[in-house]
Amino acid sequence: MKIQEIREIIKLVDGSSIDEFSYEFEGVKVKMKKNGSGQTQQTSTSTEQAPHAQKTVETSAPAPAKEPQVETLVSSEAPEVLADNNVDYHKILSPMVGTFYESPSPDEAPYVQVGTKVSADHVVCIVEAMKLFNEIEAEVDGEIAEILVKDGQLVEYGQPLFLVKAN
């Protein structure tokens, strides 16, 4: 894992509402915790070299001079589409912190639009985290009723991305 990737993780965690983050991949472990002021308190990175040998590096994230202001585009009010109580809506949630992309590349059409019929394994978007593009699937059969985020928007773990009118 490169130092730039660790810096990106710190920025994403600092800009989100999560208080604790842990990541493990191919023997590399990264753990971060925020203190009460919302700044990252400590980053611990360890790489396993052998079953009994371990290298650990402790770093502290520098406190930013000014607390960043993040504007949340998700409304606290229920979407208008939910007014119909006879319809079962499924929320497709973000499985991670990252950047939401509605299409495979900027010059291609979006995976889905409002009204698109989807199956459970239909890819509806991409969430990019640490230069890894993760395809998000619909999880249910149905029709896209509402897209809750904008292309290029930073999304948090568990944030609703789509409402699907389930079959």
mmCIF file of all heavy atoms in Angstrom, residues 131-152:
data_model
loop_
_atom_site.group_PDB
_atom_site.id
_atom_site.type_symbol
_atom_site.label_atom_id
_atom_site.label_comp_id
_atom_site.label_asym_id
_atom_site.label_seq_id
_atom_site.Cartn_x
_atom_site.Cartn_y
_atom_site.Cartn_z
ATOM 1 N N LYS A 131 -8.926 4.193 -5.837
ATOM 2 C CA LYS A 131 -8.621 3.849 -7.227
ATOM 3 C C LYS A 131 -9.163 2.474 -7.637
ATOM 4 O O LYS A 131 -8.813 1.954 -8.672
ATOM 5 C CB LYS A 131 -7.121 3.917 -7.488
ATOM 6 C CG LYS A 131 -6.485 5.205 -7.057
ATOM 7 C CD LYS A 131 -5.944 5.978 -8.205
ATOM 8 C CE LYS A 131 -5.150 7.161 -7.731
ATOM 9 N NZ LYS A 131 -5.838 8.390 -7.683
ATOM 10 N N LEU A 132 -10.038 1.899 -6.821
ATOM 11 C CA LEU A 132 -10.711 0.654 -7.159
ATOM 12 C C LEU A 132 -12.157 0.983 -7.493
ATOM 13 O O LEU A 132 -12.851 1.638 -6.719
ATOM 14 C CB LEU A 132 -10.663 -0.347 -6.008
ATOM 15 C CG LEU A 132 -9.280 -0.859 -5.627
ATOM 16 C CD1 LEU A 132 -9.370 -1.741 -4.401
ATOM 17 C CD2 LEU A 132 -8.647 -1.630 -6.771
ATOM 18 N N PHE A 133 -12.617 0.533 -8.653
ATOM 19 C CA PHE A 133 -13.972 0.813 -9.108
ATOM 20 C C PHE A 133 -14.838 -0.404 -8.809
ATOM 21 O O PHE A 133 -14.662 -1.466 -9.388
ATOM 22 C CB PHE A 133 -13.964 1.152 -10.600
ATOM 23 C CG PHE A 133 -13.247 2.440 -10.887
ATOM 24 C CD1 PHE A 133 -11.876 2.466 -11.090
ATOM 25 C CD2 PHE A 133 -13.940 3.635 -10.911
ATOM 26 C CE1 PHE A 133 -11.212 3.661 -11.324
ATOM 27 C CE2 PHE A 133 -13.287 4.838 -11.143
ATOM 28 C CZ PHE A 133 -11.921 4.852 -11.349
ATOM 29 N N ASN A 134 -15.773 -0.230 -7.869
ATOM 30 C CA ASN A 134 -16.624 -1.319 -7.399
ATOM 31 C C ASN A 134 -18.009 -1.202 -8.009
ATOM 32 O O ASN A 134 -18.701 -0.202 -7.785
ATOM 33 C CB ASN A 134 -16.720 -1.257 -5.872
ATOM 34 C CG ASN A 134 -15.355 -1.313 -5.220
ATOM 35 O OD1 ASN A 134 -14.772 -2.368 -5.124
ATOM 36 N ND2 ASN A 134 -14.832 -0.160 -4.804
ATOM 37 N N GLU A 135 -18.406 -2.221 -8.768
ATOM 38 C CA GLU A 135 -19.732 -2.220 -9.383
ATOM 39 C C GLU A 135 -20.770 -2.554 -8.314
ATOM 40 O O GLU A 135 -20.617 -3.505 -7.564
ATOM 41 C CB GLU A 135 -19.792 -3.245 -10.517
ATOM 42 C CG GLU A 135 -18.910 -2.875 -11.692
ATOM 43 C CD GLU A 135 -19.003 -3.889 -12.828
ATOM 44 O OE1 GLU A 135 -19.362 -5.063 -12.588
ATOM 45 O OE2 GLU A 135 -18.709 -3.491 -13.965
ATOM 46 N N ILE A 136 -21.826 -1.748 -8.278
ATOM 47 C CA ILE A 136 -22.912 -1.955 -7.318
ATOM 48 C C ILE A 136 -24.106 -2.523 -8.082
ATOM 49 O O ILE A 136 -24.514 -1.976 -9.102
ATOM 50 C CB ILE A 136 -23.303 -0.628 -6.622
ATOM 51 C CG1 ILE A 136 -22.071 0.084 -6.066
ATOM 52 C CG2 ILE A 136 -24.356 -0.872 -5.551
ATOM 53 C CD1 ILE A 136 -21.236 -0.707 -5.099
ATOM 54 N N GLU A 137 -24.656 -3.617 -7.571
ATOM 55 C CA GLU A 137 -25.776 -4.285 -8.227
ATOM 56 C C GLU A 137 -27.096 -3.908 -7.568
ATOM 57 O O GLU A 137 -27.131 -3.476 -6.412
ATOM 58 C CB GLU A 137 -25.566 -5.798 -8.195
ATOM 59 C CG GLU A 137 -24.338 -6.224 -8.987
ATOM 60 C CD GLU A 137 -24.077 -7.712 -8.935
ATOM 61 O OE1 GLU A 137 -24.675 -8.420 -8.097
ATOM 62 O OE2 GLU A 137 -23.269 -8.178 -9.759
ATOM 63 N N ALA A 138 -28.195 -4.110 -8.291
ATOM 64 C CA ALA A 138 -29.531 -3.697 -7.842
ATOM 65 C C ALA A 138 -30.024 -4.471 -6.614
ATOM 66 O O ALA A 138 -30.797 -3.945 -5.831
ATOM 67 C CB ALA A 138 -30.536 -3.840 -8.975
ATOM 68 N N GLU A 139 -29.627 -5.701 -6.440
ATOM 69 C CA GLU A 139 -30.009 -6.557 -5.307
ATOM 70 C C GLU A 139 -31.434 -7.082 -5.371
ATOM 71 O O GLU A 139 -31.764 -8.042 -4.695
ATOM 72 C CB GLU A 139 -29.803 -5.840 -3.966
ATOM 73 C CG GLU A 139 -28.404 -5.327 -3.741
ATOM 74 C CD GLU A 139 -28.319 -4.325 -2.599
ATOM 75 O OE1 GLU A 139 -29.364 -3.945 -2.028
ATOM 76 O OE2 GLU A 139 -27.193 -3.916 -2.290
ATOM 77 N N VAL A 140 -32.318 -6.440 -6.128
ATOM 78 C CA VAL A 140 -33.704 -6.887 -6.268
ATOM 79 C C VAL A 140 -34.150 -6.699 -7.719
ATOM 80 O O VAL A 140 -33.573 -5.905 -8.454
ATOM 81 C CB VAL A 140 -34.684 -6.107 -5.345
ATOM 82 C CG1 VAL A 140 -34.400 -6.368 -3.887
ATOM 83 C CG2 VAL A 140 -34.667 -4.639 -5.647
ATOM 84 N N ASP A 141 -35.193 -7.418 -8.088
ATOM 85 C CA ASP A 141 -35.817 -7.203 -9.392
ATOM 86 C C ASP A 141 -36.819 -6.066 -9.243
ATOM 87 O O ASP A 141 -37.538 -5.997 -8.243
ATOM 88 C CB ASP A 141 -36.551 -8.469 -9.858
ATOM 89 C CG ASP A 141 -35.595 -9.629 -10.129
ATOM 90 O OD1 ASP A 141 -34.403 -9.369 -10.339
ATOM 91 O OD2 ASP A 141 -36.056 -10.772 -10.122
ATOM 92 N N GLY A 142 -36.852 -5.170 -10.215
ATOM 93 C CA GLY A 142 -37.806 -4.073 -10.143
ATOM 94 C C GLY A 142 -37.495 -2.964 -11.118
ATOM 95 O O GLY A 142 -36.889 -3.187 -12.166
ATOM 96 N N GLU A 143 -37.924 -1.757 -10.758
ATOM 97 C CA GLU A 143 -37.769 -0.578 -11.604
ATOM 98 C C GLU A 143 -37.164 0.552 -10.773
ATOM 99 O O GLU A 143 -37.580 0.786 -9.638
ATOM 100 C CB GLU A 143 -39.142 -0.155 -12.137
ATOM 101 C CG GLU A 143 -39.135 1.067 -13.000
ATOM 102 C CD GLU A 143 -40.548 1.438 -13.460
ATOM 103 O OE1 GLU A 143 -41.396 0.534 -13.630
ATOM 104 O OE2 GLU A 143 -40.791 2.635 -13.644
ATOM 105 N N ILE A 144 -36.176 1.262 -11.330
ATOM 106 C CA ILE A 144 -35.553 2.390 -10.629
ATOM 107 C C ILE A 144 -36.597 3.492 -10.477
ATOM 108 O O ILE A 144 -37.125 4.001 -11.458
ATOM 109 C CB ILE A 144 -34.322 2.930 -11.394
ATOM 110 C CG1 ILE A 144 -33.250 1.854 -11.562
ATOM 111 C CG2 ILE A 144 -33.754 4.168 -10.697
ATOM 112 C CD1 ILE A 144 -32.601 1.382 -10.283
ATOM 113 N N ALA A 145 -36.915 3.834 -9.220
ATOM 114 C CA ALA A 145 -37.923 4.854 -8.941
ATOM 115 C C ALA A 145 -37.288 6.225 -8.722
ATOM 116 O O ALA A 145 -37.870 7.240 -9.093
ATOM 117 C CB ALA A 145 -38.741 4.470 -7.715
ATOM 118 N N GLU A 146 -36.096 6.232 -8.117
ATOM 119 C CA GLU A 146 -35.441 7.510 -7.861
ATOM 120 C C GLU A 146 -33.943 7.301 -7.691
ATOM 121 O O GLU A 146 -33.507 6.312 -7.100
ATOM 122 C CB GLU A 146 -36.018 8.161 -6.603
ATOM 123 C CG GLU A 146 -35.568 9.589 -6.423
ATOM 124 C CD GLU A 146 -36.380 10.331 -5.369
ATOM 125 O OE1 GLU A 146 -37.438 9.844 -4.946
ATOM 126 O OE2 GLU A 146 -35.933 11.408 -4.986
ATOM 127 N N ILE A 147 -33.155 8.244 -8.215
ATOM 128 C CA ILE A 147 -31.715 8.264 -8.017
ATOM 129 C C ILE A 147 -31.453 9.345 -6.969
ATOM 130 O O ILE A 147 -31.804 10.506 -7.168
ATOM 131 C CB ILE A 147 -30.966 8.558 -9.332
ATOM 132 C CG1 ILE A 147 -31.325 7.498 -10.378
ATOM 133 C CG2 ILE A 147 -29.455 8.614 -9.096
ATOM 134 C CD1 ILE A 147 -30.811 7.784 -11.770
ATOM 135 N N LEU A 148 -30.864 8.966 -5.836
ATOM 136 C CA LEU A 148 -30.750 9.848 -4.684
ATOM 137 C C LEU A 148 -29.440 10.628 -4.597
ATOM 138 O O LEU A 148 -29.301 11.484 -3.727
ATOM 139 C CB LEU A 148 -30.946 9.029 -3.402
ATOM 140 C CG LEU A 148 -32.263 8.249 -3.322
ATOM 141 C CD1 LEU A 148 -32.266 7.329 -2.120
ATOM 142 C CD2 LEU A 148 -33.438 9.211 -3.274
ATOM 143 N N VAL A 149 -28.477 10.326 -5.473
ATOM 144 C CA VAL A 149 -27.188 11.026 -5.451
ATOM 145 C C VAL A 149 -26.822 11.489 -6.859
ATOM 146 O O VAL A 149 -27.382 11.009 -7.838
ATOM 147 C CB VAL A 149 -26.061 10.139 -4.870
ATOM 148 C CG1 VAL A 149 -26.263 9.880 -3.404
ATOM 149 C CG2 VAL A 149 -25.942 8.843 -5.623
ATOM 150 N N LYS A 150 -25.885 12.408 -6.926
ATOM 151 C CA LYS A 150 -25.453 12.961 -8.212
ATOM 152 C C LYS A 150 -24.128 12.340 -8.631
ATOM 153 O O LYS A 150 -23.327 11.927 -7.794
ATOM 154 C CB LYS A 150 -25.295 14.477 -8.096
ATOM 155 C CG LYS A 150 -26.550 15.178 -7.627
ATOM 156 C CD LYS A 150 -26.789 16.430 -8.418
ATOM 157 C CE LYS A 150 -28.015 17.179 -7.971
ATOM 158 N NZ LYS A 150 -29.257 16.558 -8.259
ATOM 159 N N ASP A 151 -23.881 12.292 -9.925
ATOM 160 C CA ASP A 151 -22.648 11.753 -10.477
ATOM 161 C C ASP A 151 -21.449 12.521 -9.924
ATOM 162 O O ASP A 151 -21.441 13.747 -9.902
ATOM 163 C CB ASP A 151 -22.676 11.849 -12.010
ATOM 164 C CG ASP A 151 -21.553 11.064 -12.655
ATOM 165 O OD1 ASP A 151 -21.282 9.939 -12.209
ATOM 166 O OD2 ASP A 151 -20.948 11.593 -13.612
ATOM 167 N N GLY A 152 -20.444 11.793 -9.442
ATOM 168 C CA GLY A 152 -19.240 12.418 -8.905
ATOM 169 C C GLY A 152 -19.335 12.792 -7.439
ATOM 170 O O GLY A 152 -18.383 13.305 -6.861
#
